[in-house]
Amino acid sequence: MIAARAAGATIAVGVGLTVIYTALISSADAITKMFAASYAAPQLFALSGGIVALLAVLVNRAGPNPRGVATRCPRAMAIRSIATVLGAGAFFYAFRLLPFAEVFLFIAMIPLITALLSGPVLGEAVRPQAWGAVCLGMIGLLCLAPRGLGTFQLGHAVALAAVLLGTVSMMASRYIGLRDGNLLAQVFWPNLALAGVSALALPFVWAPMGLGDLGWAVLYAGLLFAARWVLVGALKALPAYVITPLMNLQFLWMVAIGAAVFGEVPGTALYLGAALVITAGAWLIYDQAFPNGAARKVVPAE
C-alpha cells in the first residue's frame, strides 16, 4: 500500500512538473513573439543567452558535486551550438511571421524527424513506425495549406528551416548525452554561443529599449532556464516516453496565450493539423515504449 502510494505520488509529481514545463516554455515563446514585433533577434538573445549561461554556471557550482562545464564531445557540442544559434534566430522570425499556435505544428515535428534520422546519423535501429509517424505529421503540416502548397508563405519556410536546425541540435544533444552525463554543459555552451554571436550583431541592429522591455528579456531568460530545470525534474520522476506526449499540452497553452495576448483565433485546419501531429508523436512514443507488446523503460538520453 505504501509503495503504491509512493508510486502514485511520483507519477503525480512528474505529470505536474510536465504541465508546469509546458506553461513556462509557452510563456517564453510568447515573449519571443512579442519581442519579434519590435526588435531584431540579437537584442533578445544577447541578454537572455548570457543570463542562461550564467545560471548554468551558478547552479553547477551550487550543486553537491560540481562538474564544471567541460564536455567530452567538443565537436558535437560545437555542432549543437551552431544549430542552436541559427535555429533560435529562425524560430524568432517564424514567430514574427506566423500566428502563435501555428508554430507549434513545426515545433512538434522536431522529435519525429529526429527519430527518423537516428538510424543513419546515430546508428540506432529505426522501426517502420517512425516513417509512418513522420508521414502522418507531414499530413498535419499540410493542413495549414488546404488550398495547396502555393498558399505557404515565407513564415512557413522560415519555420521549416527552424525545424531542420532544431533537429540537428537535438541529434547532437542525443549524441552527447549518450557519451557525457554533464547536462549543464549542454545548457551552457549553446547559450554562450547564442549570447556571443548576438552580441557581435548588436551594433548593427540595436534599437533603444525601455526598462519594461529589458525586464521582459530578463523574464524570458528566467522562464527558459526554469523550463529546462523543471524538465530535468520531470524526467527523474517519469520515463521520457511518458513525458513526451504530455508535452503536447504546449499547444493548448499556445492557443490560450495566442487568443488572450495576441488576439489570434485558430481555424479548424490548425486544430486538425495539431491533432494529426500530436497523434503521430504519441504513436511514435507508444511504439518505443512497447515495441513487442511488453513495456520497457526508456532511459532519457539528456
Side-chain angles (χ1 to χ4, degrees):
M1 180 65 70
I2 295 177
R5 289 180 178 177
T10 300
I11 292 173
V13 169
V15 172
L17 288 175
T18 305
V19 172
I20 293 173
Y21 165 79
T22 58
L24 290 171
I25 200 67
S26 297
S27 299
D29 287 342
I31 295 176
T32 300
K33 183 172 179 62
M34 182 184 69
F35 257 77
S38 304
Y39 301 99
Q43 200 148 337
L44 173 63
F45 295 142
L47 179 61
S48 63
I51 292 175
V52 173
L54 177 61
L55 287 174
V57 172
L58 294 177
V59 169
N60 175 75
R61 290 184 176 180
N65 299 304
R67 301 182 56 184
V69 292
T71 177
R72 298 176 182 175
C73 308
R75 293 182 180 178
M77 188 67 77
I79 292 174
R80 171 167 163 77
S81 298
I82 293 171
T84 297
V85 171
L86 297 176
F91 269 120
F92 182 92
Y93 290 105
F95 278 119
R96 171 182 286 182
L97 298 169
L98 295 176
F100 191 51
E102 196 166 303
V103 181
F104 167 81
L105 270 70
F106 291 89
I107 294 175
M109 285 297 297
I110 293 177
L112 299 180
I113 300 176
T114 300
L116 192 61
L117 294 179
S118 63
V121 177
L122 299 177
E124 299 176 339
V126 179
R127 293 167 61 82
Q129 286 81 349
W131 289 95
V134 170
C135 290
L136 185 60
M138 293 303 298
I139 294 173
L141 283 181
L142 291 177
C143 288
L144 295 177
R147 293 185 298 276
L149 295 179
T151 59
F152 274 118
Q153 304 171 354
L154 175 62
H156 298 103
V158 173
L160 182 58
V163 166
L164 297 177
L165 289 165
T167 300
V168 172
S169 178
M170 182 173 285
M171 297 290 293
S173 176
R174 179 161 176 78
Y175 178 90
I176 297 169
L178 292 172
R179 294 162 176 79
D180 187 354
N182 190 359
L183 300 180
L184 282 175
Q186 291 209 46
V187 177
F188 174 78
W189 290 109
N191 280 283
L192 183 66
L194 185 61
V197 173
S198 298
L200 292 175
L202 268 183
F204 305 99
V205 299
W206 173 262
M209 181 183 293
L211 288 178
D213 288 341
L214 181 62
W216 281 114
V218 173
L219 177 60
Y220 168 82
L223 288 171
L224 196 61
F225 185 81
R228 290 170 178 171
W229 193 253
V230 167
L231 182 59
V232 170
L235 287 169
K236 288 182 179 179
L238 292 176
Y241 66 80
V242 176
I243 288 176
T244 305
L246 292 176
M247 288 182 183
N248 288 321
L249 288 171
Q250 184 178 351
F251 176 70
L252 301 180
W253 287 112
M254 294 180 80
V255 169
I257 293 173
V261 179
F262 304 109
E264 299 172 351
V265 180
T268 303
L270 179 59
Y271 284 106
L272 177 59
L276 291 174
V277 173
I278 290 172
T279 299
W283 177 18
L284 191 63
I285 299 303
Y286 180 85
D287 179 66
Q288 181 187 29
F290 307 105
N292 299 307
R296 64 178 176 88
K297 185 173 181 179
V298 176
V299 179
E302 53 173 334

